């Protein structure tokens, strides 16, 4: 259920269980930001802080287009 993972820290390498808007919290190099992630994608490591990044579900969504995830991943990997 959504309530089971709301507020739970998810790590790079974890499988995204639910479509939704996630907050990305980096170790030091940038402020927290939001990304849209589709279920069954693996949360990525950050190019700068590596495994020191966390993801938190902010809002569940029943529909998320996979291309949004790809665009967000490319944009936020820099």
């Amino acid at each position: 259920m959504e309530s089971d993972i709301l507020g739970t820290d998810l790590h790079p390498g974890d499988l995204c269980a639910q479509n939704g808007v996630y907050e990305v919290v980096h170790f030091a190099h940038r402020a927290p930001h939001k990304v849209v992630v589709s279920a069954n994608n693996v949360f990525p490591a950050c190019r700068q802080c590596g495994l020191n990044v966390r993801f938190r579900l902010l809002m569940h969504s029943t529909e998320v287009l996979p291309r949004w995830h790809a665009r967000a991943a490319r944009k936020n990997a820099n």
Side-chain angles (χ1 to χ4, degrees):
M1 299 297 308
E2 174 186 354
S3 60
D4 293 340
I5 65 169
L6 276 174
T8 300
D9 282 352
L10 301 164
H11 304 87
D14 288 347
L15 186 64
C16 178
Q18 296 189 17
N19 296 333
V21 177
Y22 287 79
E23 179 181 43
V24 184
V25 180
H26 294 266
F27 178 65
H29 72 95
R30 74 178 287 183
H33 58 95
K34 296 174 185 158
V35 295
V36 176
V37 183
S38 298
N40 300 316
N41 283 293
V42 174
F43 291 106
C46 172
R47 287 187 187 181
Q48 291 189 28
C49 54
L51 298 177
N52 290 318
V53 62
R54 298 295 177 262
F55 301 85
R56 293 185 189 126
L57 180 64
L58 298 177
M59 184 175 63
H60 173 73
S61 174
T62 57
E63 293 185 35
V64 177
L65 299 176
R67 67 180 181 179
W68 290 359
H69 175 266
R71 188 178 328 140
R74 282 194 305 274
K75 178 181 175 187
N76 294 312
N78 296 322

